[in-house]
Amino acid sequence: MPYENSAEWYDLIYRWKDYRAEVNALRGYFARYESRPTHTILDVACGTGAHLVHLNDHYTCTGLDYSPDMLRVARAKLPDLPIHEGDMRTFDLGMTFDVVLCLFSAIGYMHSTDDLHKAVATMAQHVAPGGMLIFDGWFTPEQYTPGRLSMLTVDEPEIKLVRMSVSEIRGRLSVMDMHHLVATREGGTRHFIEHHELHMFTEDEYAEAVRAAGLGIVVDPQGLMNRGLYIGIKPL
């Protein structure tokens, strides 16, 4: 499972990401496309809850993620928020929200167009009439670069961490084996590998999944991370 071993250090590894700025940008999208004021938000694939920390300042929020390890961190950070374990293709919370989010390219973990359609349809079912489904895309086949070398470091008094990978392509999958070398006083030094496979859908495939779920579609080619942002709008 992605991030199974690195969940406790996930926020350190991704501290370069400006979650507050992304939430402010999302609030701009809400204001631009909402049919009525946004009050409730479901964050699917919420991970450690880094977006929820800032969303919770403005909205009534709920989280959902597939990884128990990531959820453990999110619940410790946000003990008063309802945060559920579930698969984005099949979850059923029995309620709807003004906005459903799926951010940081988590949709790429759907490995086929069938899974993509299931996930988008399930999330759309949780969108209230007049509400929105918003998700980040992953790299398209034209954007992804095989053989790219990646390294990230964390150098803090209590932890030293290096994460390295080389990007690969297998069919329509982008593949990364992320090698981690971690040193702490309590745990000593250890090495582990986390395997990631993300499907490279096209913009048309994302848009078709949104339309198939009965939503209108707006596409921002740049979005939050230059990977495209897909906004599905449910009719009133």
Side-chain angles (χ1 to χ4, degrees):
M1 182 178 292
Y3 305 111
E4 180 179 5
N5 292 299
S6 65
E8 63 180 296
W9 304 302
Y10 183 93
D11 289 338
L12 270 178
I13 292 170
Y14 287 103
R15 60 185 173 179
W16 54 265
K17 186 172 175 66
D18 193 338
Y19 289 94
R20 184 187 297 276
E22 291 194 358
V23 166
N24 287 337
L26 286 167
R27 297 188 72 208
Y29 288 108
F30 300 166
R32 192 178 314 163
Y33 296 111
E34 65 189 4
S35 300
R36 51 187 172 75
T38 297
H39 297 295
T40 59
I41 291 180
L42 170 63
D43 187 6
V44 176
C46 66
T48 62
H51 284 110
L52 284 170
V53 167
H54 303 292
L55 288 165
N56 195 46
D57 291 337
H58 308 281
Y59 310 100
T60 300
C61 296
T62 300
L64 182 137
D65 201 276
Y66 186 69
S67 166
D69 304 284
M70 299 287 266
L71 288 173
R72 224 172 353 256
V73 179
R75 287 169 177 152
K77 192 185 299 181
L78 296 159
D80 297 326
L81 252 66
I83 299 178
H84 306 271
E85 183 176 340
D87 186 320
M88 71 172 74
R89 295 166 296 186
T90 58
F91 75 94
D92 183 1
L93 300 184
M95 59 190 302
T96 59
F97 302 83
D98 297 323
V99 174
V100 175
L101 300 171
C102 184
L103 302 173
F104 211 173
S105 300
I107 199 76
Y109 287 101
M110 302 296 98
H111 285 178
S112 68
T113 53
D114 184 54
D115 280 347
L116 173 65
H117 278 249
K118 287 178 181 177
V120 172
T122 296
M123 290 189 284
Q125 288 169 6
H126 288 78
V127 177
M132 289 176 281
L133 165 63
I134 301 178
F135 63 88
D136 282 319
W138 175 239
F139 294 110
T140 65
E142 296 77 22
Q143 293 173 323
Y144 193 74
T145 305
R148 180 176 178 271
L149 306 178
S150 175
M151 182 177 76
L152 182 148
T153 62
V154 174
D155 185 4
E156 296 289 336
E158 300 302 317
I159 179 172
K160 310 297 180 185
L161 183 151
V162 179
R163 189 185 75 181
M164 293 187 289
S165 65
V166 182
S167 61
E168 302 176 42
I169 289 180
R170 298 175 192 164
R172 289 284 295 279
L173 291 178
S174 57
V175 180
M176 293 164 287
D177 283 323
M178 294 185 176
H179 291 250
H180 297 68
L181 186 64
V182 183
T184 62
R185 288 190 177 90
E186 300 80 10
T189 302
R190 66 190 183 104
H191 169 261
F192 58 89
I193 302 170
E194 290 180 334
H195 183 73
H196 294 258
E197 296 182 356
L198 290 90
H199 195 287
M200 295 176 290
F201 296 104
T202 66
E203 291 183 5
D204 287 344
E205 286 171 332
Y206 286 129
E208 176 54 32
V210 173
R211 293 189 190 97
L215 308 180
I217 178 72
V218 175
V219 180
D220 181 338
Q222 302 302 313
L224 304 177
M225 297 187 65
N226 203 29
R227 300 176 185 176
L229 194 73
Y230 298 84
I231 303 167
I233 302 171
K234 179 168 279 192
L236 282 167

